[in-house]
Amino acid sequence: MSTQQSISRSSNLVKKVEKEILMEANNEEKSLKNSIGDLAQIEKAENKAEKAVVKADIKLEKAEKKEQSSLKDLYRAEHNHGIALVDVQKAQQELETSTRNYEKLREKLEKKATRVEEAMKAHDDHTVSLACSVYARYYNRFRPCRKFAMPS
């Protein structure tokens, strides 16, 4: 019996080993299928990530272009602002100069007007007194009998 037992044990052992080998093969196959599935998912995720990188790169390039354009606009605006400031300063100086000239001419005009007015008054006074004296001479020459008294 020992031989039969030994054969029986061997055959059980072989069956057991075969069963273990089959189970291990099944486990490896399942593991391989899972790995293949995981690999496919990772490949999809990698493709998505690559597309996201490309998209982000394009977005970055657009943002940089916009920033450069904005910077250029800013420099242009600063330049135009500088020109405007210079124009304002020139206009202020021109206003001050014009105001000073106006004030000088106004003073000059007032002085001249006063002198002309005084001269006209003196001329009028002189003309009236001259006319009176001419009239008085004329009147006294042709009418010697009458005495003409000139008002002073």
Side-chain angles (χ1 to χ4, degrees):
M1 254 204 87
S2 85
T3 342
Q4 272 187 346
Q5 276 183 348
S6 126
I7 294 179
S8 152
R9 266 188 192 181
S10 289
S11 108
N12 280 341
L13 186 61
V14 169
K15 284 182 186 180
K16 210 177 200 182
V17 170
E18 281 178 355
K19 191 175 181 182
E20 283 181 18
I21 291 174
L22 280 177
M23 281 180 60
E24 193 174 311
N26 282 337
N27 286 340
E28 284 180 10
E29 192 175 324
K30 284 180 185 177
S31 176
L32 184 61
K33 283 182 181 179
N34 287 338
S35 294
I36 291 172
D38 290 346
L39 179 64
Q41 286 180 349
I42 291 171
E43 284 176 345
K44 284 182 183 178
E46 189 261 346
N47 285 337
K48 272 186 170 182
E50 183 182 7
K51 287 178 182 178
V53 166
V54 169
K55 192 174 181 179
D57 188 44
I58 291 170
K59 196 172 187 178
L60 174 64
E61 286 177 13
K62 285 182 181 180
E64 286 174 343
K65 283 181 184 178
K66 188 173 182 178
E67 188 263 343
Q68 285 297 319
S69 175
S70 297
L71 188 61
K72 188 177 179 181
D73 291 344
L74 175 64
Y75 289 150
R76 188 177 299 124
E78 285 176 347
H79 175 74
N80 290 341
H81 180 253
I83 290 171
L85 283 177
V86 169
D87 289 346
V88 165
Q89 290 172 350
K90 284 181 183 177
Q92 286 174 340
Q93 289 175 351
E94 190 176 314
L95 174 64
E96 290 171 6
T97 302
S98 297
T99 302
R100 273 189 258 118
N101 288 340
Y102 170 74
E103 292 297 326
K104 285 179 185 177
L105 289 173
R106 187 176 177 146
E107 288 175 20
K108 200 174 187 180
L109 175 67
E110 287 175 2
K111 288 178 184 176
K112 193 65 144 178
T114 303
R115 278 190 256 147
V116 167
E117 206 174 290
E118 289 171 358
M120 287 176 66
K121 186 177 179 191
H123 177 51
D124 287 347
D125 290 346
H126 179 68
T127 304
V128 169
S129 65
L130 182 63
C132 287
S133 79
V134 169
Y135 178 73
R137 274 191 233 145
Y138 175 76
Y139 187 72
N140 287 335
R141 191 181 303 164
F142 294 108
R143 298 189 190 244
C145 57
R146 282 179 138 192
K147 297 234 174 172
F148 179 73
M150 286 289 293
S152 309

